[in-house]
Amino acid sequence: MFRTARMRKIKVVTLNKYSHSIVNSLHEEGIVQINDISESIQQDPKWGELLNHSKVTHLTSKLSSLLMKASGLSEVLTDALLGEVGIKDMIKSFISPEIPKITEVEDVIGEELVSKAESFLNEVESHTKVIEEKLTALENRKSEINSNIVLANKLKDFDFDLSLLNETKYTFTVVGRIDKQSLDNFKNESSKLTDKLYRKSFNDEDELKKLILIIISSEFKDEFNSLTRNFDFERIEIGNVSGKPDEIISSANLELESLENDKSQLNLKLKEIAEKYDDDVAIVKEQLEIEKDKNEIFSSFGETNKTTLLEAWVPVKKMDTVKSLVDSSTEGYSVVEVEDVGEDDSEVPVLQDNPKIAKPYEFLVGMYSNVRYNAIDPTLLVFIMFPFFFGYCLTDAFYGIMLVILGVILIRGMGKINETMGNFGKIIIACGLWTIVLGFATNGFLGDFSFRFFAYNLPTVVPAFDAFKHPENILIVAIGFGIIYENIGFLLGAINNFRYGEKKEALGSQLIWFVFELGILFLVVGFLLPSIGIIGQCIGGVLIVLTFAILIYANGFYGVMDVFSWLGNILSYARLLALCLATGGIAMTVNIIAGMVDTMLPVPYLSLILAIFIFIAGHIVNFLFQVLGAFINSLRLHYVEFFSQFFIDGKNKFSPFVAKRIITKLKNN
């Protein structure tokens, strides 16, 4: 329950002619992690004498090329089907996404798949390429026209044909922008070059600049260019345009309208092609991805002239299945050697093995780190305590209802096509349910909404835990849960340390706190119960002195400081009360302000509308902030206070060699 799946390493030797068959079978089953033994072959002389490093198959490069083509075509066709995606479409795709259609396909592999895929993709490309080229040409022309419109708007005061501004055999024309402060100086300097020039300035859209037109004799072209570099002169390129600015803008708008019509017609044709080929292209793309994955895995193998060796990690529960697959794939011409995990298990890949109901919480544990093989997997405890801590922080039943609704939307929406989103939805529902329970128990329903506006107390409230009247009891319970949860962490840490032979670490970092807490308990009981009195106090004192002695023995003199760390971890659970009061306090403040606005403003209907707006907006903001705070602090209590007592990081997560089929499945032969 608290351990990762037991793993074994297998080595499989078979004839070369069966290697593809084994790979196909293991890939479809997806229950082994293939090891790359190329490094062992290169570094270990014994391996090097027996084996050569296998390489990817000759089809890999062709598969990669076809996959790139399929991906490009799939993107084009998908965009053609989707068209412009608005906010409404995005919301709809989130709430009710389109479920991928699963298509049965023949088990086509190798050369046959390459041949069929190449032929099909070429056929599709022959239809799309011409349209894409035309669309590209249209976009280029639109860009050119828009540039002309921008130019014409800049030169809107030029009441003449702009083609006259082009350079001739005898004249050189320049249009540009210059700072007003520099204009007079620029005029003087340009006049010194020659009196054979025409110069006129115009107003610019930027009030700090002037638009200036200069026509000068061609013989002074180089000197004039040098002069402009000495000023902050922004030259405007005229390009190949003709007509007055207003004529250019008018004709450009007409042409843009025509181009948009042409684009619409082309997009309709592309959409027709997409409706015909999109699903098939996606299927071919997935088949190519799977085949490429299989052909690349051969680089992880070793080989001789006639045999192939592969090495893999297999969960113990799947060992018989793997042996059966290997045997059937090789017609019995194979040898399977199974190795137990040795003393050094740091390189063993980790496959978390939790009940289905707790599986979503592996995501939260994974956000912290991978669990080490053979160490404690805390997923089940996170499943129990994370939603509880979250609900304790939020403690507002209405907010909890909103969370449950959001979780259901996630599961029934994106959760259908995305496992992570589905798992997150399940976590949110659990958090919402605890929030509802604790909210009703602590008098949290939109703050003090029921009492403030209807003078009605929730019948579900437990009087001793009314957050508005007895926060001290909520604090005591929070600290109590903190002590219990930390002690569970100490126990798990001790188990981990004993498992890895770290007895001194277990004594000085985990078991010692049971002694310390027992000493505190005897002291408290000794003071409170006269019947025990001095005996309890003496026992408590001895245990506390023993605690400090063991801390110094196990961790050195500075180990005494660990007492403050222990105390800090326990008190950290007081944040449960802090966030509980923050949620209720801010919600109550929103209610107060809404009520004041409704009664203070002289305009009845306006005051009611404003009060409702403040009420809704305030609670939405409070909901968002408090949900974020509850999530972060619930994680913190696990990551910082709880996991630090026992969690051992792992290097590798089990990565199965598996055919990632989303829209295809093999036909049953």
Side-chain angles (χ1 to χ4, degrees):
M1 184 178 292
F2 292 105
R3 299 181 68 185
T4 59
R6 302 300 87 197
M7 306 295 290
R8 294 291 183 268
K9 183 188 287 186
I10 64 168
K11 290 184 174 70
V12 179
V13 179
T14 186
L15 298 176
N16 288 340
K17 67 177 182 176
Y18 294 115
S19 60
H20 284 276
S21 179
I22 286 182
V23 166
N24 289 337
S25 298
L26 294 179
H27 200 226
E28 289 298 331
E29 198 67 26
I31 54 177
V32 306
Q33 175 180 308
I34 303 292
N35 285 352
D36 188 347
I37 61 175
S38 59
E39 188 174 332
S40 299
I41 294 173
Q42 293 172 357
Q43 296 181 357
D44 191 331
K46 293 182 180 179
W47 282 65
E49 290 177 4
L50 297 173
L51 297 168
N52 296 316
H53 176 211
S54 185
K55 298 178 181 178
V56 298
T57 71
H58 68 284
L59 290 176
T60 304
S61 60
K62 187 64 176 177
L63 287 166
S64 298
S65 176
L66 289 172
L67 183 56
M68 287 180 62
K69 180 183 285 190
S71 298
L73 286 171
S74 180
E75 185 176 344
V76 169
L77 298 178
T78 300
D79 289 345
L81 288 174
L82 292 177
E84 295 292 331
V85 179
I87 296 177
K88 182 180 178 181
D89 296 321
M90 292 177 62
I91 294 174
K92 183 180 178 181
S93 65
F94 182 82
I95 296 176
S96 180
E98 184 177 349
I99 308 301
K101 176 186 174 183
I102 298 176
T103 304
E104 287 191 342
V105 296
E106 298 287 348
D107 190 10
V108 182
I109 59 175
E111 298 279 5
E112 185 180 1
L113 175 62
V114 168
S115 177
K116 288 186 175 181
E118 186 172 27
S119 175
F120 172 71
L121 293 176
N122 286 339
E123 177 189 345
V124 178
E125 190 178 48
S126 68
H127 294 291
T128 62
K129 190 173 182 179
V130 175
I131 297 177
E132 285 186 88
E133 289 175 349
K134 289 181 179 179
L135 286 170
T136 301
L138 285 179
E139 289 299 324
N140 292 337
R141 179 55 185 160
K142 283 175 62 178
S143 177
E144 183 182 342
I145 293 171
N146 285 322
S147 297
N148 291 342
I149 292 175
V150 171
L151 174 65
N153 281 319
K154 287 181 179 179
L155 306 181
K156 58 185 176 183
D157 292 333
F158 288 27
D159 191 23
F160 53 82
D161 191 334
L162 296 185
S163 64
L164 298 175
L165 300 177
N166 291 324
E167 187 175 354
T168 67
K169 182 178 179 181
Y170 301 103
T171 60
F172 174 63
T173 304
V174 175
V175 179
R177 304 166 75 205
I178 191 168
D179 291 337
K180 285 184 177 181
Q181 296 176 350
S182 304
L183 181 60
D184 291 337
N185 190 20
F186 178 76
K187 287 180 178 180
N188 292 334
E189 292 297 322
S190 60
S191 297
K192 292 178 182 179
L193 290 178
T194 178
D195 57 357
K196 299 178 180 179
L197 61 80
Y198 170 80
R199 182 176 56 233
K200 186 174 182 180
S201 59
F202 303 85
N203 290 327
D204 187 70
E205 55 189 14
D206 187 345
E207 295 181 357
L208 299 178
K209 293 183 179 292
K210 275 285 188 179
L211 199 61
I212 187 168
L213 166 65
I214 297 175
I215 304 174
I216 193 170
S217 176
S218 294
E219 59 184 296
F220 298 102
K221 175 181 178 180
D222 294 336
E223 291 87 342
F224 184 78
N225 284 333
S226 298
L227 175 64
T228 58
R229 285 193 287 268
N230 297 328
F231 291 85
D232 186 15
F233 187 86
E234 181 187 340
R235 187 166 176 175
I236 298 175
E237 298 294 337
I238 302 302
N240 187 26
V241 295
S242 61
K244 295 181 180 181
D246 57 342
E247 295 173 350
I248 292 173
I249 294 172
S250 177
S251 62
N253 287 330
L254 289 174
E255 187 173 358
L256 282 176
E257 186 178 343
S258 175
L259 291 176
E260 282 297 330
N261 290 332
D262 292 342
K263 181 181 177 181
S264 298
Q265 293 299 318
L266 289 172
N267 282 331
L268 284 175
K269 291 181 180 179
L270 191 58
K271 187 175 182 180
E272 291 176 3
I273 295 171
E275 289 171 348
K276 181 179 180 181
Y277 290 110
D278 183 58
D279 290 341
D280 293 334
V281 169
I283 290 169
V284 169
K285 178 174 174 285
E286 185 167 281
Q287 288 179 299
L288 290 171
E289 287 172 342
I290 292 170
E291 189 66 18
K292 178 174 175 285
D293 196 27
K294 289 191 295 185
N295 280 262
E296 287 177 339
I297 201 63
F298 283 90
S299 64
S300 302
F301 299 168
E303 64 179 6
T304 66
N305 291 336
K306 295 184 178 180
T307 62
T308 298
L309 168 68
L310 67 89
E311 185 178 276
W313 287 104
V314 184
V316 171
K317 293 179 180 179
K318 300 293 183 180
M319 184 60 69
D320 291 340
T321 303
V322 171
K323 287 181 178 179
S324 176
L325 280 174
V326 170
D327 188 62
S328 61
S329 300
T330 61
E331 298 178 344
Y333 292 96
S334 60
V335 177
V336 178
E337 178 183 311
V338 181
E339 295 181 10
D340 288 336
V341 176
E343 292 185 5
D344 182 10
D345 57 16
S346 60
E347 299 298 328
V348 180
V350 172
L351 175 63
Q352 291 171 280
D353 187 17
N354 292 290
K356 186 177 180 180
I357 194 171
K359 275 288 181 184
Y361 296 82
E362 292 179 357
F363 168 73
L364 296 181
V365 175
M367 285 173 59
Y368 181 77
S369 178
N370 291 327
V371 182
R372 179 171 174 171
Y373 181 77
N374 211 33
I376 298 292
D377 178 3
T379 300
L380 192 59
L381 290 170
V382 176
F383 155 69
I384 296 170
M385 296 306 298
F386 178 84
F388 174 74
F389 286 155
F390 185 101
Y392 210 117
C393 291
L394 200 55
T395 53
D396 190 290
F398 186 84
Y399 293 174
I401 293 170
M402 293 298 100
L403 282 174
V404 171
I405 293 173
L406 178 59
V408 171
I409 290 173
L410 277 175
I411 292 174
R412 297 175 64 86
M414 291 297 293
K416 291 181 179 179
I417 60 175
N418 186 303
E419 184 180 2
T420 301
M421 295 298 287
N423 288 338
F424 197 60
K426 294 173 184 176
I427 294 173
I428 289 177
I429 289 176
C431 292
L433 291 174
W434 268 115
T435 302
I436 294 171
V437 171
L438 295 176
F440 279 129
T442 59
N443 199 16
F445 189 88
L446 292 173
D448 60 345
F449 175 79
S450 62
F451 183 78
R452 181 165 300 278
F453 294 107
F454 301 102
Y456 173 75
N457 281 319
L458 295 174
T460 56
V461 176
V462 179
F465 295 103
D466 188 331
F468 296 104
K469 296 179 181 179
H470 297 290
E472 71 280 1
N473 292 336
I474 295 176
L475 175 62
I476 292 170
V477 172
I479 297 298
F481 272 109
I483 293 172
I484 294 171
Y485 208 39
E486 287 296 294
N487 283 335
I488 292 174
F490 296 146
L491 181 61
L492 297 179
I495 293 172
N496 269 341
N497 281 320
F498 276 115
R499 185 175 290 169
Y500 287 100
E502 301 288 343
K503 297 179 181 178
K504 187 176 181 181
E505 177 68 18
L507 177 63
S509 295
Q510 286 98 27
L511 297 180
I512 185 63
W513 303 117
F514 293 107
V515 178
F516 184 59
E517 290 167 3
L518 191 60
I520 294 175
L521 180 62
F522 270 105
L523 277 178
V524 172
V525 173
F527 279 111
L528 295 178
L529 299 179
S531 58
I532 296 178
I534 192 68
I535 297 175
Q537 295 174 29
C538 289
I539 294 174
V542 170
L543 290 174
I544 289 175
V545 171
L546 180 62
T547 296
F548 285 104
I550 294 174
L551 284 173
I552 294 172
Y553 161 74
N555 305 316
F557 181 77
Y558 288 105
V560 175
M561 302 298 292
D562 290 347
V563 172
F564 298 102
S565 176
W566 172 88
L567 182 61
N569 284 345
I570 298 300
L571 292 179
S572 186
Y573 285 82
R575 71 184 62 247
L576 296 172
L577 168 69
L579 272 85
C580 167
L581 294 180
T583 303
I586 296 175
M588 182 174 64
T589 303
V590 171
N591 294 340
I592 292 172
I593 295 173
M596 290 172 59
V597 169
D598 186 32
T599 57
M600 291 178 63
L601 290 181
V603 184
Y605 293 108
L606 178 61
S607 63
L608 179 61
I609 293 171
L610 184 58
I612 292 173
F613 173 78
I614 291 173
F615 180 82
I616 294 174
H619 279 294
I620 288 175
V621 172
N622 189 37
F623 171 78
L624 294 175
F625 274 105
Q626 300 306 333
V627 165
L628 180 62
F631 186 83
I632 291 173
N633 283 279
S634 299
L635 277 183
R636 184 217 149 83
L637 288 175
H638 282 88
Y639 290 175
V640 179
E641 278 75 27
F642 185 59
F643 283 5
S644 61
Q645 310 306 333
F646 67 91
F647 198 97
I648 301 179
D649 297 281
K651 294 181 181 179
N652 307 312
K653 188 173 183 179
F654 184 75
S655 179
F657 176 59
V658 59
K660 298 180 177 65
R661 295 192 181 275
I662 299 173
I663 58 173
T664 65
K665 71 174 183 178
L666 295 179
K667 289 182 179 179
N668 294 322
N669 295 325

